[in-house]
Amino acid sequence: MIERVGGGLSALLVLIAATAGPAPAGDLVALSEDGTELLRQPVPEGTGWCVLWHHSVKGFEVSDCYENRSGRMVLVRSHLPDFAAGLDHIPGRGRQVSDGQGGYWILDIDEPVPGNGYILRPGRGNVDHRIAVGDRVVSLSEAAPREKVRIELTEEGG
């Protein structure tokens, strides 16, 4: 009887795995105001990317990092090297921890982005808004300075 239940459970798990299908894959896409594709990069379930820029006054690099979670764009963490103008941790939105160098990380934000995307207006010059996906880095500031750029997670190939 115990073997039969165990065998039945194993068969059920195999059936569930076979019918569940692959985890949602997506494409990270950045589109300029006129619809020009500035970036299209596959981002499988559980992988992520960061939007990087230099603070306009202090010059240090700031990052907001996202992840594909079941086909949803989710803000997972931010790195802020200083408490400069416009940068702060909002209590109740993730947890703030020291980066050991005078700045801080905000971890466990886990905030889905409404509509799976947002508009960014890349700054010019040394602000240099960029998207980093793995080893690939694309400068939105070079490609579309001061234009509206939509950054979105779409269905793979969509």
Side-chain angles (χ1 to χ4, degrees):
M1 178 96 174
I2 293 174
E3 283 182 41
R4 191 167 160 213
V5 171
L9 180 59
S10 295
L12 178 62
L13 292 174
V14 168
L15 178 63
I16 289 170
T19 58
D27 284 343
L28 175 62
V29 179
L31 299 170
S32 69
E33 208 165 354
D34 68 3
T36 301
E37 198 170 273
L38 307 174
L39 168 76
R40 177 173 295 272
Q41 179 74 36
V43 285
E45 160 73 23
T47 62
W49 64 94
C50 294
V51 176
L52 313 167
W53 72 96
H54 294 107
H55 190 271
S56 60
V57 176
K58 295 280 194 163
F60 52 66
E61 187 171 89
V62 178
S63 63
D64 288 322
C65 299
Y66 301 83
E67 199 172 279
N68 174 356
R69 290 194 182 162
S70 300
R72 295 291 320 263
M73 178 190 284
V74 178
L75 176 62
V76 293
R77 68 184 176 282
S78 292
H79 183 248
L80 307 136
D82 193 324
F83 288 96
L87 302 179
D88 201 359
H89 173 235
I90 300 169
R93 187 175 183 240
R95 60 187 176 86
Q96 179 180 322
V97 298
S98 172
D99 69 0
Q101 299 174 10
Y104 60 100
W105 283 96
I106 303 172
L107 304 174
D108 304 325
I109 299 172
D110 300 328
E111 185 176 283
V113 175
N116 257 8
Y118 60 92
I119 301 292
L120 172 74
R121 193 176 293 270
R124 290 186 184 177
N126 54 354
V127 171
D128 195 18
H129 281 93
R130 290 154 287 137
I131 296 179
V133 186
D135 292 336
R136 185 176 181 195
V137 179
V138 173
S139 174
L140 301 176
S141 292
E142 271 184 33
R146 298 246 170 115
E147 288 185 37
K148 290 181 182 176
V149 172
R150 178 160 176 82
I151 299 170
E152 62 187 359
L153 180 64
T154 65
E155 291 183 23
E156 187 175 41

